[in-house]
Amino acid sequence: LQIFEYNGSAVVAMVGKNCFAIASDRRLGVQLQTISTDFQKIYTIHDKLFIGLSGLATDAQTLYQRLVFRHKLYELREERNMKPETFASLVSSILYEKRFGPYFCQPVIAGLGDDDKPFICTMDSIGAKELAKDFVVSGTASESLYGACESMFKPDMEPDELFETISQALLSSVDRDCLSGWGGHVYVVTPTEVTERILKGRMD
Amino acid sequence: MESVFGFACKDFAVVVADASAVHSILVHKSNEDKIMHLDSHKLLGASGETGDRAQFTEFIQKNVALYHFRNGIPLTTAAAANFTRGELATALRKSPYMVNIILAGYDKDTGPSLYFIDYIASLHKVDRAAFGYGSYFALSMMDRYHRPDMTVDEAVKLVDQCISEIRKRLVVAPPNFVIKIVDKEGARLHSWKVSVEEGSVPVA
């Protein structure tokens, strides 16, 4: 029983010109069996901050509930939204709290920080942050995603081109992974709007 | 291994469970009702470890009733499902309940809904769900024949088809099943599908 491969997932985030995109697959499985093809893995923390949680679905749900709780408290006290960098440190700290009994999730965090500068990062299941300027990946399809993103990524893409790139990278990677896929879910976020799109992919 | 399955249509939801209580190679009884009524409009079909199933479902039922007493209004199906998930998630890293759950309910404003809750507390709202070895057959039959606009009679025919397939193809198939429906009028027993009468001696 490989815990990280129990449910199956693929999450990727990319930076563009004053925008970012975050995408995930839509499969919820229990090992070889597919339970659902509309499972949400990317959650909104606030309108300029998104977190994608790959790994074990139950821990992703628990972790998301804890993070929303902490952000709501922060918002009440500070009377403003959390910056992505701050949020990433919060997630890292919450994950390390469970160092010897961890949440089996690998988060991908993407947001627009000060002056709407795009910020992305990922971390492992015990909170080791990995900042990147171009793209971050996680999930069972991560190795394929690294390859696809490395070859398809260009810096400073406009939102439309960024959407195309991240979508193609996601779909081609999950097609090489039996545990993820069954469609795609892409958010493209600019300082003024959030576009949510569902991708039609191979349903196998 | 215990089978539970169910699906939701436009006006009602159905939950079906096998009726055998088994201990290793011995069948204790074949008329066990594994679908608990949480309240007038909710059904909780559970499969898994016998003791955990009985204890956990009763615990949820009593807490749902307590909420109603304290607050004067019943929980919605979504709230009951999230409460159940929360209890499973809290117990997961201490002493997990080995119970898989299908929660079906009818709410006045949102209609019928069905929730899949794994024993490791993965929660997802679905149209059709199944657990156990029977799921391999039931899910395929439901994927092929389920439509959201089915009538109760058509739905029961589909349930019969699923049960026939399980009886035909599963080597240790449970002989008896219980079918329950929840709709606007409430949660009620629809029928027992019996092929081995409790208390009778089969002719050799």
Side-chain angles (χ1 to χ4, degrees):
Chain A
L1 177 78
Q2 295 280 51
I3 296 192
F4 285 105
E5 290 159 10
Y6 188 75
N7 293 123
S9 50
V11 184
V12 56
M14 274 190 190
V15 168
K17 195 170 173 67
N18 301 321
C19 65
F20 69 85
I22 183 167
S24 75
D25 72 320
R26 305 190 78 204
R27 179 180 181 268
L28 174 70
V30 172
Q31 291 180 307
L32 61 101
Q33 191 177 66
T34 300
I35 302 298
S36 161
T37 56
D38 62 358
F39 188 69
Q40 178 132 17
K41 291 167 201 179
I42 298 175
Y43 299 100
T44 313
I45 302 295
H46 61 79
D47 58 353
K48 289 184 182 171
L49 180 56
F50 289 74
I51 181 164
L53 289 164
S54 69
L56 197 63
T58 177
D59 282 349
Q61 289 174 328
T62 303
L63 190 60
Y64 163 67
Q65 287 171 346
R66 283 192 70 186
L67 292 170
V68 157
F69 168 72
R70 293 295 297 266
H71 183 260
K72 281 186 175 176
L73 263 183
Y74 183 94
E75 236 188 303
L76 283 170
R77 290 177 176 144
E78 302 265 329
E79 293 181 353
R80 65 184 178 89
N81 286 325
M82 242 193 227
K83 281 194 281 208
E85 295 86 353
T86 317
F87 184 71
S89 295
L90 172 68
V91 179
S92 172
S93 146
I94 286 178
L95 289 172
Y96 196 78
E97 251 183 335
K98 302 278 182 197
R99 171 63 178 83
F100 298 108
Y103 290 119
F104 298 104
C105 294
Q106 281 136 336
V108 162
I109 295 159
L112 293 173
D114 286 336
D115 301 322
D116 290 329
K117 188 165 176 301
F119 169 89
I120 54 169
C121 85
T122 185
M123 54 193 82
D124 68 5
S125 57
I126 48 175
K129 253 188 291 182
E130 189 201 302
L131 303 174
K133 293 203 171 69
D134 40 16
F135 58 84
V136 288
V137 302
S138 96
T140 49
S142 59
E143 281 144 350
S144 305
L145 279 165
Y146 273 125
C149 291
E150 196 68 65
S151 52
M152 295 187 201
F153 181 82
K154 314 196 298 281
D156 290 325
M157 283 186 276
E158 294 295 329
D160 289 333
E161 201 191 349
L162 184 65
F163 165 70
E164 280 300 327
T165 308
I166 200 174
S167 303
Q168 293 296 347
L170 179 73
L171 286 178
S172 56
S173 307
V174 302
D175 284 348
R176 280 293 185 183
D177 177 22
C178 53
L179 296 174
S180 52
W182 291 85
H185 204 154
V186 187
Y187 291 84
V188 180
V189 182
T190 65
T192 47
E193 62 168 356
V194 173
T195 320
E196 182 184 343
R197 293 185 184 92
I198 305 289
L199 299 175
K200 227 166 60 157
R202 283 185 65 108
M203 301 296 271
D204 62 2
Chain B
M1 214 249 196
E2 305 181 358
S3 309
V4 182
F5 62 92
F7 54 90
C9 299
K10 215 161 37 94
D11 304 315
F12 61 92
V14 190
V15 183
V16 184
D18 76 293
S20 35
V22 167
H23 198 123
S24 146
I25 57 167
L26 177 70
V27 178
H28 279 298
K29 64 192 293 223
S30 320
N31 58 359
E32 173 90 349
D33 183 358
K34 297 177 190 169
I35 305 178
M36 180 146 278
H37 294 238
L38 292 188
D39 67 17
S40 60
H41 284 74
K42 288 182 197 50
L43 290 171
L44 188 91
S47 78
E49 194 77 53
T50 315
D52 280 350
R53 173 175 52 74
Q55 300 278 43
F56 183 73
T57 56
E58 201 176 300
F59 172 68
I60 298 296
Q61 185 196 55
K62 299 315 175 198
N63 272 279
V64 168
L66 182 61
Y67 182 95
H68 196 148
F69 285 131
R70 280 180 174 158
N71 299 287
I73 52 165
L75 278 168
T76 60
T77 312
N82 275 287
F83 171 70
T84 307
R85 188 206 102 82
E87 290 303 314
L88 284 169
T90 310
L92 180 63
R93 284 173 155 89
K94 294 175 189 159
S95 158
Y97 293 107
M98 308 295 285
V99 195
N100 295 311
I101 283 163
I102 292 179
L103 201 156
Y106 187 93
D107 301 305
K108 231 168 46 181
D109 40 359
T110 50
S113 47
L114 192 75
Y115 289 87
F116 163 100
I117 310 174
D118 213 342
Y119 76 99
I120 49 172
S122 317
L123 169 74
H124 195 47
K125 183 173 182 303
V126 291
D127 285 332
R128 7 178 216 283
F131 285 108
Y133 286 124
S135 70
Y136 292 117
F137 313 105
L139 271 177
S140 303
M141 292 303 271
M142 292 191 291
D143 283 342
R144 174 68 181 85
Y145 292 114
H146 171 261
R147 290 176 345 263
D149 59 355
M150 291 172 102
T151 63
V152 175
D153 289 327
E154 288 171 332
V156 175
K157 247 182 49 193
L158 172 56
V159 168
D160 283 341
Q161 282 177 299
C162 294
I163 292 174
S164 305
E165 201 61 25
I166 294 173
R167 279 183 180 154
K168 183 176 173 188
R169 294 295 184 184
L170 192 55
V171 61
V172 204
N176 304 336
F177 287 82
V178 64
I179 304 173
K180 293 198 179 176
I181 296 190
V182 60
D183 63 10
K184 189 160 50 82
E185 314 297 323
R188 62 182 183 284
L189 169 74
H190 181 272
S191 52
W192 290 82
K193 290 279 179 268
V194 175
S195 67
V196 170
E197 284 287 340
E198 183 76 3
S200 70
V201 176
V203 179

